Amino acid sequence: MIVRLAFNLLFKYFKNGQLNVLILAMIVAVASVSAIGIFSERFTKAMSKQSNQLLAADRLVSGSKPIDESWTTIAKGIDENFEFGNIIEFNSMVQNEEATLRQLSNVKAVDDNYPLRGQIGVSQIAFTDGQLVDSGPKPGNVWLSSRVMASLDVQLGDQIKIGVSNFTFTKIVTSTPDDNLSIFTGGNTLIHLDDVEKTQTLKPGSRARYKWLINGEDDTLKQLEESLEEQLSEHYRWRAIEASEQGENAGESVSDTLKQATDFFMLMGALVVALAAIAIAMASNRFAKQQIQSVALFKTLGLTPNQISVLYFIQLAVIAVVTIGLALVIGFVFHQVFVTILVDILPNNLPNAGLMPYLKGSATGLICLFAFAFPAIYNLKNISPLQILRDIQVLDTSLYIRGLISISAVVLLLWIFTQNLLLSAGFLGVFIVTAIILFLVIVLAIWGIQKVSSKLPHTVSLGLTQLVQQKMANSLQIMMFSLVLTLLFTSGL
């Protein structure tokens, strides 16, 4: 009986427009959060993928000792689709064929898979950009930077000596994805990894950097990092883009840019969450006040307080399922509109978003509905049947409890969306301080109006009577609208 009554009343409320504000607030909240979440995840994934070119791979293990071959076996056990590459970097004297000119250079020995991300810039003319290629030199060949080429006074096709071996100079290297140059070396020199041994430059005690390049999906890369954590020890470091090998500046620059973009989207999400909470709280309070007479009538007809709570819980559950499902679709459509509008400035081929934005949008709707709407509606069970005959104010008996639930819900929502406790706490603190200041200012303003209303024209005084009589409730509503305008203005900046 309760279920049938709940659906019948829900249809009636929807037909009469009593739930329109609440439903619209829910749709706006979930659609906004999901749209921002989907767009930001796709954007940050694309930025992260592009920035990974600075490592020449998705992840990098670097160390002062050779890479353990068993790590490849461990990685293949996690994901057979992993791609690998190997690099050995060391400083060595590079000479022309006659050994009359020498230049200290950063020698980078790469395998056939290098680079896994990005491309190598090569040219046939010194100090020009040239073209991009997908792999490094073949065994027996050497690529020199323009600086090394000029220092040795050599031309393409000449023989270059590294250690005890000669190589054929075939291309001028203009850039590599993971450039790592020092002011003490003259530039990059690229050779094939198989040629390192025949140069006889690496001996016991020689300083060299061994790098293991890895390409794969984020979740499997995380599993690999956890599997190798104990084996890396102090001799190796697991690197992502945040700790790029490029002297720290380039890595930090890209990391900072990516972090700023992510923080911007998180801030926008926090603003949307706050606006959603305000809208749903105001809509639910309005709906609860409209139900006072109905609840009193239900009680005269024999419904118990628990049955009334179940009645409205079923209605809220139906509203949650329908509005969240519809809002997720709308959020996806709106995010596609953003992508279309910004197509000229966004990275090409944006990766697809995962489930997390949809889960966050759904969680936002559920938390907002049951934290900001249900407490006010749940309190309806305390309505007296005598409410039909005379006005009895009971809705504010649990005001402090509802306030505590609301603040807790806002903290939870902010943390879920931003995953940043400091940002969430800071935003909530500013929000609360602003709300208190606005509330005090509004109360003082209404008090001032009350003092001077008798001196105003009769029509104006009559219009202000309702405002003064419901001073606290009206102060809260004005404060809410002020906060909404403040948040909108802040987000516009």
Side-chain angles (χ1 to χ4, degrees):
M1 183 186 76
I2 296 296
V3 175
R4 181 183 300 175
L5 178 61
F7 276 92
N8 289 339
L9 289 174
L10 187 61
F11 178 76
K12 175 186 174 182
Y13 298 149
F14 179 76
K15 186 177 180 181
N16 294 339
Q18 290 179 275
L19 290 174
N20 288 357
V21 176
L22 181 60
I23 291 174
L24 182 61
M26 277 285 294
I27 291 176
V28 170
V30 178
S32 300
V33 170
S34 58
I36 291 176
I38 297 170
F39 180 78
S40 63
E41 180 167 317
R42 295 186 67 187
F43 176 76
T44 51
K45 276 185 176 181
M47 290 292 292
S48 179
K49 187 175 181 180
Q50 287 190 357
S51 61
N52 283 342
Q53 294 180 7
L54 292 174
L55 296 178
D58 291 335
R59 298 295 187 272
L60 169 69
V61 175
S62 65
S64 57
K65 293 186 176 183
I67 301 298
D68 192 332
E69 294 182 359
S70 66
W71 295 353
T72 302
T73 304
I74 295 174
K76 287 295 185 181
I78 297 174
D79 187 351
E80 293 184 353
N81 295 320
F82 275 136
E83 296 177 340
F84 306 103
N86 285 279
I87 303 172
I88 301 177
E89 284 190 86
F90 55 92
N91 292 334
S92 177
M93 283 294 178
V94 180
Q95 309 174 65
N96 60 2
E97 187 175 8
E98 297 80 13
T100 56
L101 296 173
R102 299 177 177 84
Q103 174 64 54
L104 180 64
S105 176
N106 177 66
V107 179
K108 182 181 295 186
V110 300
D111 63 6
D112 293 328
N113 296 329
Y114 174 87
L116 297 182
R117 294 286 185 205
Q119 293 177 299
I120 305 172
V122 297
S123 178
Q124 299 295 317
I125 304 174
F127 301 105
T128 60
D129 292 335
Q131 61 184 0
L132 297 174
V133 296
D134 295 323
S135 59
K138 301 298 181 182
N141 294 336
V142 62
W143 295 358
L144 303 177
S145 69
S146 297
R147 292 169 60 189
V148 176
M149 175 184 175
S151 298
L152 299 182
D153 192 21
V154 293
Q155 302 296 324
L156 292 175
D158 290 348
Q159 293 295 301
I160 303 298
K161 189 173 185 180
I162 303 175
V164 299
S165 297
N166 288 330
F167 297 85
T168 303
F169 177 27
T170 56
K171 289 182 181 178
I172 301 169
V173 58
T174 59
S175 65
T176 59
D178 55 337
D179 276 334
N180 183 18
L181 302 180
S182 168
I183 60 174
F184 301 107
T185 60
N188 274 330
T189 296
L190 265 63
I191 62 174
H192 195 275
L193 189 64
D194 294 342
D195 290 333
V196 173
E197 186 175 353
K198 72 179 185 180
T199 64
Q200 298 183 18
T201 53
L202 294 183
K203 301 183 182 299
S206 298
R207 294 191 60 183
R209 298 296 298 175
Y210 298 85
K211 298 181 180 181
W212 186 37
L213 310 180
I214 316 162
N215 264 14
E217 299 296 330
D218 288 341
D219 54 347
T220 53
L221 287 169
K222 183 65 176 178
Q223 294 179 37
L224 178 59
E225 180 183 5
E226 294 172 353
S227 300
L228 297 179
E229 185 174 1
E230 295 183 359
Q231 302 184 46
L232 293 180
S233 69
E234 71 275 9
H235 299 293
Y236 301 94
R237 291 184 61 187
W238 178 279
R239 294 181 180 272
I241 188 59
E242 288 79 6
S244 173
E245 282 289 328
Q246 289 200 23
E248 297 289 324
N249 293 333
E252 287 179 0
S253 175
V254 174
S255 175
D256 290 344
T257 301
L258 192 57
K259 185 177 184 301
Q260 288 173 3
T262 304
D263 286 347
F264 171 77
F265 286 121
M266 289 195 301
L267 179 59
M268 292 300 298
L271 293 173
V272 171
V273 168
L275 293 173
I278 292 173
I280 292 174
M282 295 180 65
S284 61
N285 282 331
R286 179 174 177 268
F287 176 73
K289 289 181 179 180
Q290 292 173 342
Q291 296 303 302
I292 292 177
Q293 294 295 326
S294 298
V295 172
L297 179 61
F298 292 153
K299 284 196 171 183
T300 61
L301 296 176
L303 264 66
T304 66
N306 288 336
Q307 288 177 321
I308 291 174
S309 296
V310 171
L311 175 71
Y312 284 102
F313 180 84
I314 292 173
Q315 293 176 358
L316 288 179
V318 173
I319 292 173
V321 172
V322 175
T323 55
I324 289 175
L326 179 61
L328 290 178
V329 175
I330 294 174
F332 179 82
V333 172
F334 268 98
H335 119 270
Q336 288 285 29
V337 173
F338 296 156
V339 173
T340 303
I341 293 174
L342 302 174
V343 65
D344 293 333
I345 61 176
L346 289 175
N348 294 326
N349 301 320
L350 287 176
N352 292 325
L355 290 176
M356 189 55 65
Y358 301 98
L359 294 177
K360 287 182 178 179
S362 302
T364 297
L366 290 173
I367 294 173
C368 283
L369 188 63
F370 288 99
F372 296 99
F374 187 69
I377 296 173
Y378 178 79
N379 202 42
L380 288 170
K381 71 176 185 177
N382 298 322
I383 296 294
S384 170
L386 295 176
Q387 185 71 42
I388 295 179
L389 302 177
R390 56 193 176 93
D391 187 17
I392 302 175
Q393 182 61 265
V394 296
L395 287 181
D396 293 332
T397 55
S398 59
L399 184 60
Y400 295 109
I401 296 176
R402 287 165 55 190
L404 182 61
I405 293 174
S406 299
I407 293 175
S408 301
V410 169
V411 173
L412 179 60
L413 284 169
L414 292 175
W415 182 82
I416 288 175
F417 197 83
T418 65
Q419 293 294 300
N420 187 320
L421 186 60
L422 183 61
L423 179 63
S424 301
F427 184 85
L428 181 64
V430 172
F431 187 84
I432 292 175
V433 171
T434 304
I436 293 174
I437 294 174
L438 284 172
F439 181 76
L440 293 176
V441 170
I442 294 166
V443 169
L444 289 174
I446 293 178
W447 178 80
I449 291 172
Q450 185 178 8
K451 291 296 183 182
V452 302
S453 60
S454 60
K455 300 178 182 180
L456 296 174
H458 179 69
T459 53
V460 177
S461 178
L462 187 63
L464 295 174
T465 300
Q466 183 65 28
L467 179 66
V468 174
Q469 287 179 349
Q470 302 291 332
K471 180 168 58 177
M472 297 303 293
N474 289 326
S475 296
L476 286 172
Q477 290 188 15
I478 295 172
M479 181 196 69
M480 292 295 188
F481 281 119
S482 300
L483 283 173
V484 169
L485 294 176
T486 301
L487 290 172
L488 289 173
F489 177 74
T490 303
S491 62
L493 293 179

